[in-house]
């Protein structure tokens, strides 16, 4: 570790500047975390990914002498599946953060092998190198690890469905409930569960210093891609980008199986505050698994679609469609083997106690800033793409 940064941790101790090996730094969460680390801390980031479009602005600035983060972010184009440089970069760092994963539900049932390899096999060397070299690891898991709620197995009108014990998800209490093997949706959750168990065991048996993060639907600018604009036309991103794409193109939003599943959404900028607290407070974060979400922002997917239509109309100045949504079966939308998490409310006791973190941004406000970004970034490109004559 290098010189003190003039900033203090939650216990009043000075925070020393550190070098962070961030794997998957070019993705949605990685780009926001890099931005935060560059603009508010003295830490150096070794950014590993196969892509860097989402952090290009930071890399360009880092090359300008005298810039606040000149020389503090270095990109390494590395596929961690097969690159001998990985161990050396982990050894050079004080902390490794692993974000790399295949993490879009459309892939879980259609590319289950890639999903399992990415989320388990490819993460194994990272854990091993951290453990063998005495390096701290922050590993990104998922809220999907909880699977379905206990309450979902009760009849629809059963009074126990209203009991918190039957649906709130607690890191140290709740079971992980996945569907049968033929429901390949659960390949992702199962691979993430096994890597969590392996990291936990490395901590218990070999003293690995670790923190596991379980994100609950973090959303915001730069999430995924807009099909046909900065991603494949036939690609299916996560719900924020799917609905943004529909709104930008003036199409109805597609509700999978009626959009009755429930989610809690947290603004990426709130969630990144939680990750920074973990990075800078190892004594409070080590050996813990943290839910990071916003229990106050719960909606059904149908309600999300309605709110997004309303917000988009406000930020774009375009009239909302009279019929904003259309129902589609999961088989038609995702193919064979899809299944769903019914409800995801994070218990916040552990993160509150250890790090004093609470999310701040309401669903309306986070959608307003995110859809303003989507409109500004993509509306013109969509207009041009739609106007282009198709080849006959
Ligand atoms: P993302 O897809 O935007 O980012 C992942 C990044 O990892 C991508 O840039 C990708 O290129 C990179 N990557 C994948 N495989 C790689 C490899 N073999 N070598 C090098 N780089 C590789 O996803 P995200 O939303 O930023 O998610 C980051 C992590 O958080 C993932 O582990 C994901 O499972 C977890 N997570 C995120 C959410 C969320 O709400 N965004 C929810 C649950 C879990
Ligand atoms: N969904 C939907 N329409 C879409 C995309 C997703 O109804 O165009 C639903 C999906 O079936 C799930 C929820 O939205 O119930 C959230 O999906 P997402 O891909 O964001 O990931 P998840 O929260 O399931 O991990």
């Amino acid at each position: 570790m290098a010189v003190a940064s003039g900033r203090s941790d939650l216990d009043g101790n000075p925070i020393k500047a550190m070098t962070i090996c961030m794997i998957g730094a070019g993705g949605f969460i990685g780009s926001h975390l890099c931005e935060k680390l560059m603009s508010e801390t003295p830490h150096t980031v070794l950014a590993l990914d196969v892509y860097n479009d989402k952090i290009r602005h930071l890399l360009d600035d880092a090359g300008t002498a005298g810039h606040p983060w000149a020389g503090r972010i270095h990109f390494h184009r590395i596929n961690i599946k097969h690159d001998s440089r990985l161990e050396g970069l982990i050894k050079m760092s004080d902390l490794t953060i692993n974000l790399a994963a295949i993490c879009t539900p459309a892939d879980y049932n259609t590319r289950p092998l890639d999903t399992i390899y990415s989320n388990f096999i490819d993460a194994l060397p990272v854990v091993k190198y951290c453990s063998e070299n005495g390096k701290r690891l922050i590993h990104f898991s998922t809220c999907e690890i909880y699977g379905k709620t206990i309450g979902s197995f009760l009849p629809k009108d059963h009074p126990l469905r209203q009991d918190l014990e039957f649906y709130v998800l607690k890191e140290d209490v709740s079971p992980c409930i996945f569907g049968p093997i033929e429901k390949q949706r659960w390949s992702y959750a199962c691979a993430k569960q096994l890597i969590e168990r392996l990291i936990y065991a490395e901590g218990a048996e070999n003293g690995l210093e670790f923190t596991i993060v379980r994100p609950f639907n973090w959303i915001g600018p730069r999430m995924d891609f807009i099909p046909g604009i900065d991603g494949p036309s036939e690609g299916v991103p996560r719900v924020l980008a799917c609905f943004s794409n529909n709104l930008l193109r003036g199409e109805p939003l597609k509700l999978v199986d009626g959009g009755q599943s429930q989610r809690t959404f947290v603004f990426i900028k709130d969630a990144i505050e939680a990750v920074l607290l973990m990075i800078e407070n190892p004594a409070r974060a080590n050996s813990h698994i943290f839910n990071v979400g916003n229990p106050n922002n719960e909606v059904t997917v149908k309600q999300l679609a309605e709110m997004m239509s309303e917000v988009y109309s406000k930020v774009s100045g375009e009239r909302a469609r009279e019929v904003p949504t259309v129902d589609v079966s999961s088989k038609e939308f995702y193919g064979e083997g899809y299944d769903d998490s019914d409800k995801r409310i994070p218990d916040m006791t552990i993160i509150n106690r250890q790090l004093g973190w609470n999310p701040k941004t309401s669903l309306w406000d986070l959608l307003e800033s995110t859809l303003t970004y989507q409109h500004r970034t993509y509306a013109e490109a969509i207009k041009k793409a739609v106007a282009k004559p198709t080849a006959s």
Side-chain angles (χ1 to χ4, degrees):
M1 297 219 191
V3 288
S5 62
R7 298 160 62 249
S8 304
D9 67 15
L10 292 172
D11 299 304
N13 305 309
I15 295 170
K16 290 182 183 147
M18 59 184 113
T19 299
I20 300 170
C21 174
M22 196 190 300
I23 308 168
F28 163 57
I29 296 176
S31 71
H32 285 274
L33 188 52
C34 286
E35 237 168 39
K36 183 88 172 171
L37 290 166
M38 290 304 108
S39 59
E40 293 182 25
T41 79
H43 308 311
T44 295
V45 173
L46 309 181
L48 280 57
D49 206 306
V50 281
Y51 305 112
N52 66 12
D53 323 17
K54 295 183 185 186
I55 53 170
R56 175 124 303 286
H57 57 300
L58 299 172
L59 301 173
D60 289 346
D61 289 343
T64 311
H67 194 276
W69 56 83
R72 282 204 291 120
I73 179 164
H74 308 273
F75 180 66
H76 299 265
R77 196 175 300 279
I78 282 184
N79 183 338
I80 60 163
K81 270 183 195 300
H82 40 68
D83 201 303
S84 56
R85 290 172 291 173
L86 180 62
E87 184 171 13
L89 291 164
I90 289 176
K91 275 185 174 171
M92 279 168 67
S93 308
D94 302 294
L95 161 70
T96 294
I97 301 179
N98 190 7
L99 294 146
I102 287 179
C103 52
T104 36
D107 291 319
Y108 308 161
N109 58 316
T110 55
R111 298 170 58 204
L113 282 177
D114 287 341
T115 301
I116 294 167
Y117 271 80
S118 169
N119 284 285
F120 180 65
I121 306 287
D122 299 348
L124 276 177
V126 178
V127 180
K128 182 170 156 263
Y129 296 148
C130 287
S131 191
E132 287 174 356
N133 293 292
K135 299 291 181 180
R136 187 177 169 224
L137 172 66
I138 297 184
H139 184 82
F140 272 71
S141 181
T142 174
C143 61
E144 195 159 320
I145 205 122
Y146 295 107
K148 295 170 184 266
T149 62
I150 308 173
S152 70
F153 293 89
L154 293 169
K156 281 254 171 309
D157 52 355
H158 199 287
L160 281 178
R161 277 198 173 223
Q162 307 310 317
D163 187 328
L164 299 184
E165 297 285 317
F166 282 74
Y167 63 85
V168 174
L169 303 168
K170 293 187 179 191
E171 298 93 328
D172 52 350
V173 175
S174 300
C176 302
I177 308 174
F178 306 151
I181 303 301
E182 65 189 35
K183 295 286 185 195
Q184 298 204 74
R185 156 71 189 240
W186 303 109
S187 58
Y188 167 73
C190 195
K192 287 280 202 198
Q193 184 193 151
L194 191 52
I195 199 75
E196 274 203 28
R197 290 193 186 275
L198 186 109
I199 292 168
Y200 196 90
E202 279 289 348
E205 291 188 31
N206 295 327
L208 172 69
E209 285 182 50
F210 75 88
T211 301
I212 289 170
V213 187
R214 292 181 180 167
F216 279 65
N217 293 79
W218 300 7
I219 61 175
R222 294 198 292 269
M223 185 168 195
D224 298 339
F225 58 91
I226 296 298
I229 303 298
D230 54 2
S233 339
E234 68 290 356
V236 181
R238 287 169 283 189
V239 69
L240 174 83
C242 283
F243 285 174
S244 299
N245 183 39
N246 299 142
L247 290 165
L248 284 153
R249 293 177 189 275
E251 303 166 350
L253 283 60
K254 292 183 178 157
L255 298 180
V256 172
D257 294 336
Q260 290 313 302
S261 299
Q262 292 167 295
R263 295 288 187 271
T264 50
F265 293 94
V266 65
F267 192 34
I268 182 71
K269 291 192 189 299
D270 288 353
I272 290 295
E273 295 276 353
V275 183
L276 185 59
L277 285 166
M278 292 174 208
I279 293 173
E280 298 193 324
N281 291 276
R284 287 167 176 258
N286 282 349
S287 308
H288 284 287
I289 299 175
F290 292 114
N291 286 344
V292 181
N294 188 337
N296 304 318
N297 281 348
E298 191 186 32
V299 277
T300 62
V301 173
K302 186 172 174 15
Q303 288 166 332
L304 174 74
E306 289 162 356
M307 195 186 280
M308 282 182 68
S309 301
E310 207 181 327
V311 172
Y312 189 71
S313 162
K314 183 179 169 205
V315 302
S316 67
E318 291 163 19
R319 251 199 29 221
R321 289 175 61 92
E322 278 191 14
V323 184
T325 60
V326 61
D327 285 357
V328 50
S329 75
S330 53
K331 192 168 170 196
E332 203 183 318
F333 193 81
Y334 288 113
E336 208 63 67
Y338 182 75
D339 200 355
D340 209 351
S341 299
D342 53 302
K343 189 173 175 75
R344 288 182 182 158
I345 301 201
D347 181 88
M348 304 299 286
T349 312
I350 297 183
I351 193 155
N352 252 300
R353 185 189 65 213
Q354 293 304 116
L355 302 171
W357 176 82
N358 277 304
K360 301 186 198 92
T361 315
S362 70
L363 187 56
W364 179 277
D365 288 351
L366 76 86
L367 288 177
E368 194 165 335
S369 55
T370 306
L371 291 178
T372 301
Y373 170 89
Q374 302 287 59
H375 184 67
R376 202 178 54 225
T377 310
Y378 295 109
E380 275 310 308
I382 297 249
K383 263 193 210 134
K384 278 192 197 138
V386 171
K388 218 190 272 172
T390 47
S392 53

